[in-house]
């Protein structure tokens, strides 16, 4: 089984959870921007993938396309879009991966512990987006 999809929205990095106190207990929750991002990803994934969540070992390939800063020259924008200059800036790639994979839990796969192979890239693009390819191994 193979799943391949492009989410046409700007990647959002996982941030530290926020906390609120309920009497003697503490509740942790995602910041609003992260929560909305995860909900949007989950809704689109559920609409475009009608199968059951995968249960075997998985190989996942992700490419996160960031927008190019508007303040750059035309020449520099083209260099970044062509991949001559890569986005070696914050946010970190692993924070993009965490928020995105968490959003797909229970939709593409039963648990992200099933992911045994992971390839992820951070690039610049004319259009911000996230490309994913999931393949069952074996």
């Amino acid at each position: 089984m193979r799943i391949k999809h492009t989410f046409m929205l700007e990647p959002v990095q996982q941030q530290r959870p926020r906390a609120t106190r309920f009497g003697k207990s503490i509740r942790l929750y995602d910041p609003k921007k992260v929560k909305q991002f995860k909900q949007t990803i989950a809704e689109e994934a559920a609409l475009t993938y009608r199968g059951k969540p995968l249960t075997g070992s998985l190989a996942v390939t992700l490419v996160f396309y960031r927008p190019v800063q508007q303040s750059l020259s035309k020449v520099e924008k083209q260099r970044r879009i062509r991949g001559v200059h890569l986005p070696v800036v914050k946010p970190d790639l692993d924070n993009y991966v965490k928020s995105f994979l968490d959003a797909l839990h229970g939709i593409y796969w039963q648990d992200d512990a099933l992911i045994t192979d992971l390839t992820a890239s951070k690039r610049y693009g004319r259009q911000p987006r996230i490309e994913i390819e999931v393949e069952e191994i074996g």
Side-chain angles (χ1 to χ4, degrees):
M1 169 62 99
R2 173 178 267 166
I3 302 168
K4 192 172 184 177
H5 187 70
T6 300
F7 294 85
M8 299 302 293
L9 70 150
E10 188 171 337
V12 172
Q13 76 274 16
Q14 183 65 45
Q15 298 173 4
R16 293 185 188 274
R18 305 294 190 252
T20 58
R21 184 174 291 235
F22 287 120
K24 294 181 180 181
S25 64
I26 295 175
R27 181 180 151 255
L28 297 176
Y29 62 94
D30 281 327
K32 185 176 181 178
K33 184 176 180 180
V34 176
K35 182 179 178 182
Q36 288 175 337
F37 172 76
K38 288 180 179 181
Q39 286 176 338
T40 303
I41 293 294
E43 289 169 5
E44 184 173 335
L47 289 173
T48 59
Y49 176 70
R50 302 269 183 205
K52 291 185 178 185
L54 302 175
T55 58
S57 297
L58 303 173
V60 176
T61 303
L62 300 169
V63 184
F64 297 92
Y65 290 92
R66 299 170 37 93
V68 178
Q69 299 91 323
Q70 293 300 316
S71 61
L72 299 172
S73 69
K74 288 182 183 180
V75 171
E76 182 57 27
K77 284 181 185 178
Q78 287 305 311
R79 286 183 187 139
R80 291 179 185 213
I81 289 169
R82 287 193 324 265
V84 175
H85 291 163
L86 298 175
V88 290
V89 295
K90 300 267 184 195
D92 299 348
L93 178 60
D94 61 321
N95 291 328
Y96 280 155
V97 171
K98 181 70 176 145
S99 65
F100 186 70
L101 294 182
D102 284 352
L104 297 171
H105 178 91
I107 301 168
Y108 282 0
W109 45 74
Q110 280 186 341
D111 193 300
D112 40 348
L114 298 169
I115 300 170
T116 58
D117 295 35
L118 178 64
T119 304
S121 304
K122 179 171 65 167
R123 300 288 185 261
Y124 287 112
R126 282 190 177 90
Q127 176 67 45
R129 64 190 182 278
I130 305 163
E131 296 175 354
I132 183 171
E133 187 170 342
V134 181
E135 189 170 4
E136 284 187 299
I137 301 172

